[in-house]
Amino acid sequence: MDVRSFVKKQEAALKKYRRLYKVLDFLGTAIILYLLLFYFRIDQVFPYISSFEVRAGTSYDILGASIAFETVALSLIAAFFSLIITVIRHLRDDKTKAIPLIEEQNPELHEKLRTAYDNSDENNLIVADLLSSVSSKIAVIASSALLTKRKLVIGVVLILLSGITTVYIIDNDIRTNLFDQGQLGDLVNNIPGLGNGDSSSGNDVYVFDDSGNEDSSSSGTENLTGDTAIIVQDGKEVDLTIPAGSGVGFEEGDTSEESDTDFDQSSPYERSIISAQTYDEELPEGYESIIKEYFEALAEAD
C-alpha cells in the first residue's frame, strides 16, 4: 500500500470524525436549550417584544405542516446559542494529526510510519525496505480505528434522551410556575428599546377588559399620529393607527338620521306685505292690470 495515499485517507477520515463530534454536540446542546426556553416560558414573551409582536400567534406552512412562529423563533434562538457554546467547547480540541495517532495505536509503527512518509520520494535500498515493512502493516489498519466511539455514543444518547424529554414536555405543556406570562411581559417592557410598552417608540399595548374599559394595569399613552399603536382585546391585538387623510372622527358613508316629522313650512314674510311691494315695482308694459289682479286675488285668498 502506498504510504502517502494511506496517510491522506486517514487524515480525511479523522477530519470527518471530528466534524461528526461537533455536529452531535451542537444538536444535543440545541435540543437542551430549546427545552429550557420552552420550560421557562420564553415563547410567551414574543407578544411583548416590539419586533415580534406582529408575528406572535401566526404560523408557517413548512413541507405541508403548520409550524407556529414561537416554535421557529425558539429553534433559531436555541441554534444560535448552541453554535456559540459548541465553538467555545471545541476551541481546545485535540488537533493531533493522523500519523501520531496511528503510531500510538500501533506501537510497531512508532517512528517508522512518519519516517516512511517523509522519505517516500527517496529511492534507495534502506527506504525501499522501510516502505515495504510499513506497507504490510498499514494494509490491515482501517480508518474507523481513528473513530472515538465513546464520543459518538455519548453524542447519540444525549440527542435521544433530550429529544424524548422535549417531546414529552411540549406535548404535556409542562412549564415552570415561578412566573407567568404577565410577569415576563412586565419584565420585557422595562427594558428600554425592547418592549412594546416603551412610550417613546409609539408602539404601546393597551389591554382592555371584557367590558371594553382599559385595564388599569396597562401603561403608556396612545399616539395616533406616531408609530403603530396596539390594543389587546380578548387576547387579540388590534391596530389603532388611523391612516393620514382618512377623515379622523368620521366614517365613510356616515349619514345623519332622517326625521319623520311632517309639517308645512311657513313663509318667512307675510304674503300681504310681499303683494303690496309688487305695486311699487316697474311692471312690463301692457301687463299691469293682469299682474295687479293676480296679486289682489292672492291677497284675498289669505
Side-chain angles (χ1 to χ4, degrees):
M1 177 178 288
D2 182 65
V3 175
R4 284 194 171 272
S5 299
F6 171 78
V7 172
K8 290 181 180 179
K9 179 182 178 182
Q10 301 303 315
E11 287 286 354
L14 184 60
K15 291 180 180 179
K16 180 178 67 175
Y17 296 148
R18 287 172 175 171
R19 285 195 298 266
L20 178 61
Y21 305 148
K22 294 176 182 178
V23 170
L24 293 176
D25 193 8
F26 168 78
L27 292 177
T29 306
I31 295 174
I32 293 176
L33 288 177
Y34 183 93
L35 171 62
L36 295 175
L37 292 174
F38 180 85
Y39 179 74
F40 286 104
R41 303 175 179 269
I42 301 302
D43 57 318
Q44 297 180 352
V45 176
F46 296 141
Y48 298 92
I49 301 178
S50 57
S51 301
F52 297 151
E53 60 178 338
V54 177
R55 297 180 178 86
T58 61
S59 60
Y60 301 99
D61 187 10
I62 301 178
L63 299 178
S66 180
I67 302 178
F69 166 78
E70 288 78 4
T71 301
V72 176
L74 286 185
S75 300
L76 293 177
I77 294 174
F80 174 74
F81 286 103
S82 176
L83 179 61
I84 296 176
I85 295 173
T86 302
V87 170
I88 294 175
R89 289 185 58 182
H90 289 272
L91 283 177
R92 297 185 178 181
D93 278 355
D94 184 11
K95 297 179 175 60
T96 305
K97 298 294 184 179
I99 292 178
L101 292 177
I102 295 174
E103 290 182 347
E104 182 180 353
Q105 295 176 359
N106 302 272
E108 67 276 10
L109 292 175
H110 183 61
E111 296 293 343
K112 294 182 179 180
L113 179 58
R114 70 185 68 186
T115 302
Y117 179 80
D118 294 337
N119 297 277
S120 59
D121 295 332
E122 300 293 335
N123 188 11
N124 55 61
L125 293 177
I126 298 176
V127 172
D129 183 65
L130 177 62
L131 292 175
S132 177
S133 174
V134 170
S135 296
S136 61
K137 294 179 180 179
I138 63 177
V140 297
I141 298 177
S143 299
S144 59
L146 298 175
L147 177 64
T148 306
K149 296 180 175 60
R150 182 178 61 84
K151 292 184 178 180
L152 180 63
V153 172
I154 292 176
V156 173
V157 171
L158 178 64
I159 291 175
L160 291 176
L161 292 179
S162 59
I164 294 173
T165 305
T166 301
V167 171
Y168 176 80
I169 289 179
I170 293 176
D171 187 56
N172 293 276
D173 196 23
I174 300 175
R175 298 174 183 264
T176 179
N177 295 323
L178 296 177
F179 42 77
D180 55 20
Q181 183 178 8
Q183 292 174 325
L184 288 174
D186 293 338
L187 178 62
V188 173
N189 287 333
N190 291 330
I191 302 177
L194 180 62
N196 53 20
D198 186 5
S199 59
S200 61
S201 65
N203 296 331
D204 299 337
V205 173
Y206 301 90
V207 180
F208 288 79
D209 55 22
D210 296 336
S211 60
N213 299 320
E214 184 177 356
D215 192 346
S216 58
S217 62
S218 62
S219 59
T221 57
E222 185 177 8
N223 182 8
L224 294 180
T225 60
D227 297 333
T228 304
I230 301 294
I231 67 170
V232 179
Q233 178 71 28
D234 296 332
K236 298 180 180 180
E237 295 184 359
V238 181
D239 187 359
L240 289 184
T241 303
I242 299 180
S246 62
V248 179
F250 298 91
E251 295 182 0
E252 184 178 357
D254 185 19
T255 57
S256 59
E257 184 178 354
E258 296 183 357
S259 176
D260 295 333
T261 304
D262 188 13
F263 62 91
D264 294 330
Q265 183 176 3
S266 61
S267 174
Y269 303 100
E270 295 183 7
R271 293 183 181 181
S272 58
I273 299 177
I274 297 176
S275 300
Q277 291 177 349
T278 58
Y279 289 100
D280 297 332
E281 296 178 359
E282 184 177 355
L283 301 177
E285 184 179 358
Y287 292 92
E288 295 87 346
S289 59
I290 298 175
I291 295 176
K292 288 180 180 180
E293 291 178 359
Y294 168 76
F295 283 105
E296 287 175 357
L298 188 62
E300 293 177 355
D302 294 339

